[in-house]
Amino acid sequence: MLGIWGLAFASTVIAGPSPTVPDYFQTSWGPFAGGYATGRVPFLAETNPALLSAQPTYVPNGPLVTDIPVPGKPDGASIFSNMANLAPYKPSTYGFGVDEHPLPSGSNITQIHMVHRHGSRYPTGKPDVVDRIHGFIKNGTIFTGNLAFLNTWTYQLGENLLTARGRQELFDSGILHYYNYGRLYDPATHLIARTTTMARMLESAEAFMYGFFGPKWTQNVTLEVAIDWLGFNNSLGGDQMCTNAVNRTGMTGDSVTEQWISIYLQDATRRFQRQSHGGTANWTADDLSDVQSLCAYETSAFGYSPFCLLFTWDEWLGYEYNVDVEFYGNNGFGSAVGRAIGLGFVEEFVARLMHHLPNPPDDSIAINTTLDGSKSTFPLNQTIYFDFSHETEIFSMLTALGLSQFGEYLPPTHIVKNRPAIVSEIVPFAGYFLFEIIKSPHPVLEKRPQDSSQTSYDTSGRETTYVHMLINQRTVPLGKSIPDCGKRDDGWCELHTFIKYQQQNIARANYNASCFGNYSTLGYGNITDGAIPNSSIDDSEL
């Protein structure tokens, strides 16, 4: 079964697909949309307590209240820059180790390939700490100080759906990319863009298309919607068919996050305990990590959350690092299934670059071979490719692409400063990566001239095509991970060099063994290349 449904901005489920349209082009919510629920409607103009806080000047919300005066916060900083995968979208703050360079005169962007995360959403399920708090109150606990609001607090978040901020992020992104790449689209053509059946994924794709093409975007684009559910092949949800991802045997990050949580939240746990009187309140570090996530979720849903004031700046840095460790161990180079989860996209990307349908190895089922086996559902002639996915999947795609510059080991005992893989920089809400394909009349010099009057070309050479990668509007220097790309000032890589590397790189995922091999969960730090080594599996079980 390949069936799929999608979304319109509605909260009702429409029964059954249209009989005249294939199920993978249906965009009304169906049985694979995932559980979802709306939360309470915000009323920030009436309920914003930030207006009463000790601020030096009035700071209007825009639309979220993110100027939170937590202890130790540097001037001009925001805790929302340190909320890892729950951070609202922002362009990458620090970049990825290379300066941005303009396109040399005479060069042209001929194609783009984008994978975009969904926007800010409600939680995928109620955090465990919610029932813990309600249990404390039921058993007689009285909260004081900064925790006093908990005496009357109730959980009012929805589930899985985008918040208004999430819709805004994708709409704004569509507008941004229209301005950046609008001329690439030929109005005489009709694009296929891909998303998944999860409600937040469908909402995100539609909001983006509205921003890029306007309210009549369906005249320009058809959404192809792949089932995002256990047991279905889907390159935008590659964990769903990978057994050792589903059962988490191939993931190592879970085993050490509690270790770091107990370190960075030690003082906070004591503070919470001192402000909880009577009853059975017994706060744990895990509780407080959940409370930090409530800050992000409530702010996105309601515009402001009192939970945000309960932690210091250093504790917010600790929260972000905890998620960085988790992603490294579960979806990055520290995971036995890190490459495998993202492999399907890499197989498809290489096929698109070479203008043929994917032809993966026989032992790889990382793609939906039915959808990818037809040019009507896997077109090869588009100048623009838009795909929509989840943050963990995107992180694994970067791993499967062999971007080892994001593969530095992260110890679970202390924060590594200046680390290259910061989740809020790579996959915040509405984050994305994008490849530009650039044709130049001559080879572009590896070292760009400082004098703008000098040519950027080696005029003795022929026309050359390049790949330029960006994550959240900042260049990723491909030569840092792919030595044959060279140490270029602009971070580009010659297209044929990039394709050759990726063709060889696909096998490094060790897909069949990583996803289906019989092996015990390996300790954090024992995997360093995003795949299970053959020496760790029982071949008889494959």
Side-chain angles (χ1 to χ4, degrees):
M1 178 179 180
L2 292 174
I4 322 215
W5 291 259
L7 93 65
F9 288 97
S11 58
T12 57
V13 176
I14 299 176
S18 164
T20 61
V21 179
D23 53 3
Y24 42 79
F25 290 144
Q26 289 288 335
T27 54
S28 55
W29 291 357
F32 299 105
Y36 53 86
T38 57
R40 76 161 169 87
V41 177
F43 200 5
L44 194 58
E46 181 174 283
T47 61
N48 183 6
L51 300 177
L52 304 176
S53 62
Q55 298 278 20
T57 57
Y58 171 64
V59 180
N61 64 300
L64 310 181
V65 178
T66 58
D67 191 50
I68 306 296
V70 302
K73 180 176 75 71
D75 290 342
S78 170
I79 63 173
F80 288 87
S81 296
N82 303 114
M83 289 188 178
N85 61 319
L86 304 185
Y89 177 76
K90 62 179 176 60
S92 174
T93 306
Y94 310 109
F96 301 101
V98 68
D99 293 331
E100 308 298 327
H101 288 271
L103 210 64
S105 177
S107 291
N108 296 287
I109 299 172
T110 61
Q111 193 178 65
I112 61 169
H113 301 254
M114 172 191 279
V115 180
H116 208 301
R117 188 191 173 193
H118 59 74
S120 296
R121 57 163 171 77
Y122 292 126
T124 55
K126 184 171 64 174
D128 292 339
V129 74
V130 173
D131 289 336
R132 294 264 293 162
I133 292 171
H134 291 159
F136 294 161
I137 294 172
K138 182 178 179 180
N139 289 313
T141 299
I142 302 296
F143 298 105
T144 61
N146 288 342
L147 299 186
F149 75 93
L150 290 177
N151 294 316
T152 56
W153 174 81
T154 57
Y155 182 75
Q156 301 178 75
L157 292 168
E159 181 180 329
N160 273 329
L161 299 178
L162 294 188
T163 62
R165 170 67 178 186
R167 295 195 297 272
Q168 177 193 21
E169 287 168 329
L170 269 294
F171 178 77
D172 287 350
S173 184
I175 291 174
L176 169 70
H177 288 93
Y178 169 76
Y179 277 98
N180 284 346
Y181 303 108
R183 195 177 293 182
L184 273 181
Y185 175 67
D186 179 357
T189 64
H190 194 88
L191 298 180
I192 299 293
R194 304 190 306 172
T195 186
T196 84
T197 52
M198 289 291 179
R200 60 189 181 275
M201 298 302 307
L202 288 156
E203 286 185 307
S204 294
E206 289 202 341
F208 179 93
M209 297 306 166
Y210 194 111
F212 193 99
F213 293 103
K216 297 183 179 180
W217 64 266
T218 54
Q219 298 176 5
N220 312 103
V221 182
T222 294
L223 284 181
E224 179 178 299
V225 194
I227 294 179
D228 198 352
W229 211 260
L230 291 177
F232 288 88
N233 290 343
N234 172 10
S235 61
L236 303 179
D239 60 334
Q240 302 283 26
M241 193 59 188
C242 179
T243 300
N244 289 328
V246 173
N247 63 26
R248 308 189 78 82
T249 297
M251 298 180 172
T252 67
D254 295 342
S255 65
V256 293
T257 51
E258 285 196 15
Q259 178 182 352
W260 173 242
I261 287 172
S262 68
I263 295 172
Y264 88 87
L265 287 173
Q266 186 177 46
D267 289 344
T269 305
R270 297 193 189 103
R271 288 199 310 274
F272 272 55
Q273 204 62 50
R274 287 197 299 267
Q275 297 178 74
S276 306
H277 305 280
T280 59
N282 180 26
W283 294 100
T284 68
D286 283 341
D287 290 336
L288 271 59
S289 179
D290 275 356
V291 169
Q292 287 184 292
S293 72
L294 285 173
C295 159
Y297 286 127
E298 285 198 343
T299 299
S300 176
F302 310 137
Y304 172 83
S305 173
F307 288 109
C308 299
L309 290 164
L310 302 181
F311 300 92
T312 68
W313 176 255
D314 284 343
E315 288 160 356
W316 283 112
L317 296 181
Y319 177 83
E320 176 168 64
Y321 187 70
N322 183 61
V323 180
D324 293 347
V325 169
E326 180 183 8
F327 271 60
Y328 168 79
N330 288 352
N331 292 86
F333 283 88
S335 168
V337 292
R339 286 178 180 263
I341 293 171
L343 181 64
F345 167 78
V346 177
E347 292 171 339
E348 293 172 333
F349 182 38
V350 171
R352 284 170 170 172
L353 292 176
M354 299 182 72
H355 305 287
H356 64 67
L357 296 174
N359 184 28
D362 290 339
D363 65 350
S364 171
I365 55 171
I367 63 172
N368 186 314
T369 54
T370 302
L371 293 179
D372 286 7
S374 168
K375 293 180 182 179
S376 65
T377 48
F378 192 85
L380 300 172
N381 59 350
Q382 295 187 173
T383 53
I384 297 175
Y385 290 94
F386 292 135
D387 290 336
F388 296 84
S389 187
H390 304 274
E391 73 272 34
T392 51
E393 311 289 337
I394 291 174
F395 206 87
S396 283
M397 291 174 190
L398 300 177
T399 305
L401 284 163
L403 299 183
S404 56
Q405 62 206 80
F406 299 124
E408 177 184 342
Y409 170 75
L410 301 178
T413 54
H414 62 277
I415 292 177
V416 176
K417 296 182 179 180
N418 302 318
R419 59 195 182 276
I422 299 175
V423 169
S424 64
E425 293 282 298
I426 298 174
V427 283
F429 281 129
Y432 64 89
F433 68 81
L434 182 148
F435 288 97
E436 297 175 345
I437 308 303
I438 300 169
K439 282 191 175 180
S440 299
H442 306 282
V444 178
L445 298 171
E446 286 194 6
K447 303 296 180 185
R448 296 286 189 97
Q450 297 295 316
D451 186 346
S452 59
S453 66
Q454 296 179 351
T455 181
S456 295
Y457 296 114
D458 173 5
T459 55
S460 65
R462 298 180 178 180
E463 181 181 81
T464 306
T465 303
Y466 294 93
V467 177
H468 174 213
M469 184 181 189
L470 300 105
I471 294 179
N472 302 328
Q473 300 174 249
R474 298 297 298 271
T475 294
V476 177
L478 292 170
K480 280 196 171 184
S481 299
I482 309 172
D484 287 350
C485 293
K487 297 180 180 180
R488 300 184 58 90
D489 286 350
D490 52 24
W492 297 4
C493 186
E494 290 187 15
L495 177 62
H496 74 273
T497 300
F498 181 80
I499 291 175
K500 180 180 178 181
Y501 172 81
Q502 293 302 338
Q503 287 176 316
Q504 298 169 346
N505 183 52
I506 285 172
R508 296 179 68 177
N510 203 7
Y511 182 83
N512 203 33
S514 293
C515 281
F516 308 110
N518 181 27
Y519 56 87
S520 301
T521 302
L522 299 175
Y524 181 81
N526 289 324
I527 300 291
T528 59
D529 195 40
I532 190 73
N534 284 326
S535 59
S536 299
I537 62 171
D538 181 352
D539 293 338
S540 66
E541 297 295 327
L542 290 179

